[in-house]
Amino acid sequence: VQLQASGGGLVQPGGSLRLSCAASGHIIEVNDMGWHRQAPGKQRELVATITTGGSPNYVDYAKGRFTISRDNDKRTVYLQMYSLKPEDTAVYYCNANMVAGARLYPMDYWGKGTLVTVSS
């Protein structure tokens, strides 16, 4: 069971980027999914989450600039980012609460992260 994030890269200030994260393996159920980020020298912080039904929740700095969405058939969560700023530079991690593998109870799984660099 794994989460594979992609879509990171170098973007200029004011630019946009779309991250994707797909869950794969023996998965029985996918519950809430989300994105966190960790900037250099800082702790990992929440960006946004989304329920199975598609209800999003954002932290203040993400409201109005970031959009989280998901495709349940593809077991994939997306993060569309607009108006990027240098302070958005970070490794972005996806996570999902899933019933998977040999476990019959839900637990949190994490992807390895994808680097987003906002710089001119």
Side-chain angles (χ1 to χ4, degrees):
V1 178
Q2 66 174 354
L3 292 171
Q4 183 66 51
S6 61
L10 175 64
V11 61
Q12 292 187 342
S16 300
L17 210 57
R18 189 193 195 207
L19 307 182
S20 301
C21 177
S24 62
H26 181 63
I27 298 170
I28 299 169
E29 178 181 284
V30 182
N31 301 313
D32 288 3
M33 304 181 83
W35 291 92
H36 289 66
R37 71 183 188 183
Q38 186 167 17
K42 296 187 177 181
Q43 291 187 333
R44 189 176 299 189
E45 61 181 2
L46 175 67
V47 178
T49 61
I50 187 166
T51 66
T52 304
S55 296
N57 183 51
Y58 301 96
V59 296
D60 285 346
Y61 67 76
K63 291 178 181 177
R65 294 196 302 125
F66 295 177
T67 301
I68 189 170
S69 61
R70 64 188 286 170
D71 184 327
N72 289 334
D73 290 337
K74 295 181 179 179
R75 294 171 173 168
T76 299
V77 62
Y78 306 96
L79 185 68
Q80 178 69 57
M81 302 183 289
Y82 302 96
S83 302
L84 284 163
K85 306 174 182 179
E87 51 263 43
D88 294 317
T89 295
V91 177
Y92 284 71
Y93 297 91
C94 60
N95 75 289
N97 183 268
M98 302 188 292
V99 180
R103 297 180 175 88
L104 299 180
Y105 52 89
M107 64 175 288
D108 287 336
Y109 291 81
W110 290 84
K112 290 186 178 180
T114 184
L115 176 63
V116 173
T117 302
V118 184
S119 176
S120 55

